[in-house]
């Protein structure tokens, strides 16, 4: 089957797919948390997170199949690698900040209040760390899209 | 202790598009396959959105059978007088 030569590369299609699916799927999760549909740290929130991961994976696979049909899959070249590196560096900063903040909450918040009751639930910290990871992934995909559009 | 002032970024331009149409009239796909990058990377180079590595730059020069500085060159800064440019280039 002849495939149309596209201005947008297969890698850029993939970055867009990952960015949009991550934003939509985890956006619904965060919206649910904000509206109080699920409580942070609850079993329901953990189930939602797992469902969100599965849903996002399925969505990315589906969009990647469509992107493969529309554009010819190509091996990564030096520009793709340069974009990946810059995007990973931006994401690392976000992830690092989230880990530091979670550590501060875990270590210093109970000490500051002088009560062990103030220590957050492990599920809460775990879910916050996962959301931090999602935020860093959003930054990574967003940076990739930006660099593909604007130039490296 | 004073730190060395950071030099202003160079504006690197290229003649890839015009060289493609000289002689053999190569398509972006043909150039991309010859130098081992994607067509979108050749497009980005032509638009000035990406400066390739030295390896790809030399491959492009070899493909077009011209010296490297005929493919890539520094665009003159309009705010920079020619005399200053030359002396700065010589002194670093």
């Amino acid at each position: 089957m002849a495939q149309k030569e596209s201005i947008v590369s297969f890698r850029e299609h993939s970055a867009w797919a990952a960015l949009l699916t991550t934003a939509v799927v985890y956006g619904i999760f965060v919206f649910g948390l904000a509206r109080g549909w699920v409580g942070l740290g609850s079993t329901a929130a953990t189930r939602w997170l797992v469902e969100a991961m599965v849903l996002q994976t399925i969505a990315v696979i589906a969009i990647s199949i469509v992107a493969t049909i529309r554009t010819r899959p190509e091996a990564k070249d030096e520009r793709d690698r340069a974009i990946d590196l810059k995007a990973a560096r931006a994401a690392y900063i976000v992830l690092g900040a989230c880990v530091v903040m979670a550590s501060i909450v875990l270590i210093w918040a109970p000490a500051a209040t002088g009560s062990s009751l103030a220590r957050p639930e492990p599920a809460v910290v775990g879910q916050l760390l996962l959301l931090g990871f999602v935020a860093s992934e959003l930054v990574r995909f967003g940076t990739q899209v930006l660099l593909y559009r604007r130039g490296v | 202790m004073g730190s060395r002032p950071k030099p202003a970024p160079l504006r690197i331009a290229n003649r890839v598009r015009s060289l493609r149409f000289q002689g053999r009239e190569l398509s972006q796909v043909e150039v991309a396959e010859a130098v081992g990058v994607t067509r979108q990377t050749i497009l980005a180079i032509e638009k000035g959105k990406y400066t390739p590595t030295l390896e790809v730059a030399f491959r492009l020069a070899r493909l077009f059978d011209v010296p490297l500085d005929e493919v890539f060159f520094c665009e003159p800064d309009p705010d920079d007088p020619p005399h200053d440019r030359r002396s700065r280039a010589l002194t670093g």
Side-chain angles (χ1 to χ4, degrees):
Chain A
M1 188 173 70
Q3 283 168 315
K4 202 176 90 179
E5 282 293 345
S6 172
I7 292 173
V8 179
S9 69
F10 175 74
R11 300 271 161 207
E12 190 180 337
H13 268 295
S14 302
W16 272 110
L19 176 67
L20 294 177
T21 54
T22 307
V24 169
V25 170
Y26 290 98
I28 294 168
F29 177 78
V30 172
F31 184 74
L33 279 178
R35 294 296 298 263
W37 296 342
V38 285
L40 193 65
S42 66
T43 314
T46 306
R47 200 180 61 238
W48 269 47
L49 261 178
V50 172
E51 285 170 358
M53 284 176 198
V54 172
L55 191 65
Q56 199 239 348
T57 307
I58 292 168
V60 166
I61 290 169
I63 293 172
S64 296
I65 290 168
V66 174
T68 308
I69 294 166
R70 284 173 57 91
T71 57
R72 185 173 45 180
E74 289 163 320
K76 272 186 188 179
D77 70 359
E78 59 171 45
R79 177 168 157 262
D80 297 315
R81 282 191 289 273
I83 288 172
D84 281 357
L85 279 173
K86 288 189 175 188
R89 190 171 59 186
Y92 176 80
I93 294 166
V94 174
L95 185 62
C98 289
V99 169
V100 168
M101 279 193 288
S103 305
I104 288 169
V105 168
L106 264 177
I107 298 164
W108 284 290
T113 57
S115 164
S116 61
L117 292 173
R119 189 178 292 277
E121 290 287 323
V124 172
V125 177
Q127 286 174 12
L128 282 174
L129 280 173
L130 270 176
L131 287 175
F133 175 69
V134 171
S136 73
E137 285 291 270
L138 275 173
V139 169
R140 187 164 72 91
F141 300 138
T143 309
Q144 281 179 343
V145 166
L146 183 77
L147 292 176
Y148 274 118
R149 305 306 305 165
R150 198 194 63 187
V152 188
Chain B
M1 193 174 72
S3 60
R4 280 180 73 150
K6 196 179 172 187
L10 290 174
R11 290 169 59 185
I12 298 170
N14 68 81
R15 292 195 188 92
V16 171
R17 189 172 171 78
S18 62
L19 287 166
R20 264 199 312 119
F21 290 109
Q22 279 178 16
R24 284 182 286 172
E25 290 214 4
L26 296 164
S27 68
Q28 285 176 340
V29 176
E30 287 169 324
V31 173
E33 282 172 359
V35 299
V37 296
T38 61
R39 189 182 77 88
Q40 284 76 20
T41 296
I42 297 298
L43 185 69
I45 292 169
E46 287 184 0
K47 283 185 170 180
K49 287 183 172 182
Y50 176 63
T51 305
T53 58
L54 263 180
E55 187 183 337
V56 168
F58 272 108
R59 281 190 184 152
L60 282 167
R62 191 183 287 176
L63 176 71
F64 297 130
D65 200 20
V66 292
L68 184 63
D69 61 356
E70 274 191 39
V71 187
F72 294 95
F73 53 94
C74 284
E75 262 189 348
D77 187 346
D79 302 329
D80 208 3
H83 173 74
D84 288 356
R85 270 208 304 271
R86 183 168 165 71
S87 59
R88 207 171 294 169
L90 290 171
T91 56

